[in-house]
């Protein structure tokens, strides 16, 4: 069975928008169901989503533009495999971007908008901690990344916020490529699985406290919050290992049709 090469698909399948397909592929990457290097065969993707290869191709092109997918002539598409140099560049870029976003958040949010943003960040931390206690690593990882994206969206710098969304997607691939390998993460499997705690809740709580304390033109408090963010990102990068065995690649159809663990949170869903 192959996916049709045009858009003549059943109405039920057509309810999936290209954005839906894009988000579900990103979600599969975040959940480590699609690992770096996994081949993305258009037929299999079409079967998994019930859409045409034409639509799949457009989504893959979009992901390639964001450097989440690699498309090679005569070889097709695959999940990108970031190099060590690229990994370090992404964290360097995030340090610059997120330092600016922290400053913008402190200097430009006020009143009801500030209160709502701080409440959303606190709720995100609580959701991450709850997921960790339940052993739902995939949900914890999504919530940890969501913390950064909520902060970026509230800061009011649309260009840098959009840029950070792309950097966070690439960070998920870096974590899967260079996080320490664990063999005991449930469900039990002989296949090595990369797992990194990524963002630590205590560091997120410290940053949230700093954001609450800093407001307007309080330069010293603002500098402290910025330093906490840059140190936080440096800690994540320092936890990566750049010389370790590769986990086995899953089948793309199985990865996308296997029920997900936990429920997807509303809003952006990417790791720190």
């Amino acid at each position: 069975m192959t996916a049709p090469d045009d858009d003549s698909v059943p109405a039920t399948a057509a309810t999936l928008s290209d954005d839906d397909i894009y988000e579900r592929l990103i979600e599969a990457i975040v959940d480590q169901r699609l690992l770096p290097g996994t081949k993305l065969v258009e037929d299999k993707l079409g079967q998994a989503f019930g859409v045409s290869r034409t639509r799949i191709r457009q989504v893959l092109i979009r992901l390639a533009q964001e450097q989440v997918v690699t498309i090679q002539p005569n070889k097709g598409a695959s999940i990108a495999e970031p190099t060590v140099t690229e990994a370090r560049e992404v964290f360097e870029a995030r340090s610059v971007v997120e330092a600016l976003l922290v400053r913008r958040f402190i200097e430009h949010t006020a009143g009801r908008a500030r209160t709502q943003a701080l409440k959303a960040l606190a709720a995100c931390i609580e959701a991450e901690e709850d997921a960790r206690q339940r052993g739902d690593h995939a949900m914890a990882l999504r919530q940890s990344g969501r913390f950064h994206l909520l902060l970026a969206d509230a800061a009011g710098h649309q260009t840098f916020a959009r840029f950070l969304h792309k950097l966070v997607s690439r960070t998920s691939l870096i974590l899967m490529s260079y996080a320490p390998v664990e063999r005991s993460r449930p469900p039990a499997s002989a296949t090595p699985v990369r797992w990194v705690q990524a963002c630590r809740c205590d560091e997120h709580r410290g940053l949230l406290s700093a954001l609450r304390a800093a407001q307007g033109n309080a330069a010293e408090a603002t500098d402290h919050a910025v330093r906490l963010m840059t140190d936080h990102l440096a800690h994540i990068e320092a936890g990566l290992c750049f010389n370790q065995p590769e986990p086995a690649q899953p089948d793309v159809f199985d990865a996308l049709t296997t029920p997900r663990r936990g429920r997807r949170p509303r809003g952006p869903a990417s790791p720190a």
Side-chain angles (χ1 to χ4, degrees):
M1 176 181 175
T2 61
D5 198 25
D6 54 35
D7 292 319
S8 57
V9 294
T12 52
T15 59
L16 269 183
S17 69
D18 287 358
D19 284 343
D20 291 332
I21 297 170
Y22 168 89
E23 290 294 341
R24 285 174 63 174
L25 284 170
I26 290 291
E27 220 172 59
I29 292 170
V30 173
D31 287 350
Q32 298 191 23
R33 287 178 285 127
L34 290 178
L35 303 180
T38 302
K39 298 295 183 184
L40 299 175
V41 181
E42 291 178 4
D43 274 346
K44 286 190 175 183
L45 290 172
Q47 291 173 40
F49 293 119
V51 300
S52 69
R53 294 198 301 272
T54 300
R55 290 185 57 196
I56 292 297
R57 198 170 300 129
Q58 293 305 309
V59 175
L60 293 178
I61 290 171
R62 175 181 173 185
L63 289 166
Q65 291 171 342
E66 297 180 5
Q67 297 179 285
V68 175
V69 163
T70 300
I71 300 177
Q72 295 180 301
N74 303 320
K75 291 186 178 180
S78 60
I79 302 296
E81 299 178 272
T83 65
V84 173
T85 298
E86 288 169 342
R88 296 199 182 282
E89 287 178 353
V90 166
F91 276 99
E92 184 177 14
R94 285 192 62 172
S95 182
V96 172
V97 169
E98 296 198 63
L100 182 144
L101 289 171
V102 167
R103 290 189 182 277
R104 289 275 303 199
F105 181 92
I106 293 169
E107 295 169 1
H108 295 280
T109 60
R112 182 177 176 83
R114 174 182 169 84
T115 300
Q116 289 180 333
L118 291 172
K119 284 183 178 179
L121 290 170
C124 187
I125 294 172
E126 291 175 2
E128 179 186 356
E129 290 177 337
D130 178 68
R132 290 194 192 287
Q133 290 173 0
R134 290 185 286 105
D136 189 344
H137 298 308
M139 178 63 76
L141 193 59
R142 287 198 297 271
Q143 292 286 5
S144 69
R146 185 168 175 259
F147 177 90
H148 289 255
L149 297 177
L150 285 171
L151 174 57
D153 290 339
H157 193 303
Q158 294 184 7
T159 300
F160 267 25
R162 285 195 297 268
F163 186 33
L164 183 62
H165 276 254
K166 295 179 182 180
L167 289 174
V168 166
S169 294
R170 294 183 66 193
T171 301
S172 66
L173 296 176
I174 293 166
L175 295 179
M176 282 187 286
S177 296
Y178 301 113
V181 171
E182 288 190 358
R183 295 175 182 271
S184 58
R185 178 181 156 201
S189 171
T191 303
V193 177
R194 295 204 191 284
W195 170 248
V196 67
Q197 182 137 333
C199 296
R200 288 174 284 191
C201 295
D202 59 334
E203 293 189 353
H204 279 171
R205 286 202 174 277
L207 181 55
L208 179 59
S209 295
L211 291 173
R212 284 174 171 153
Q215 190 169 4
N217 297 317
E220 185 175 347
T222 299
D223 289 344
H224 175 62
V226 169
R227 186 167 58 253
L228 287 178
M229 176 62 85
T230 54
D231 287 350
H232 174 51
L233 293 170
H235 292 161
I236 299 170
E237 183 180 2
L240 301 178
C241 301
F242 294 112
N243 182 21
Q244 53 186 339
E246 294 298 323
Q249 293 182 9
D251 178 82
V252 63
F253 182 83
D254 291 341
L256 291 170
T257 54
T258 299
R260 290 169 287 171
R261 296 182 299 275
R263 293 192 304 172
R264 179 177 181 270
R266 293 182 180 273
S270 300

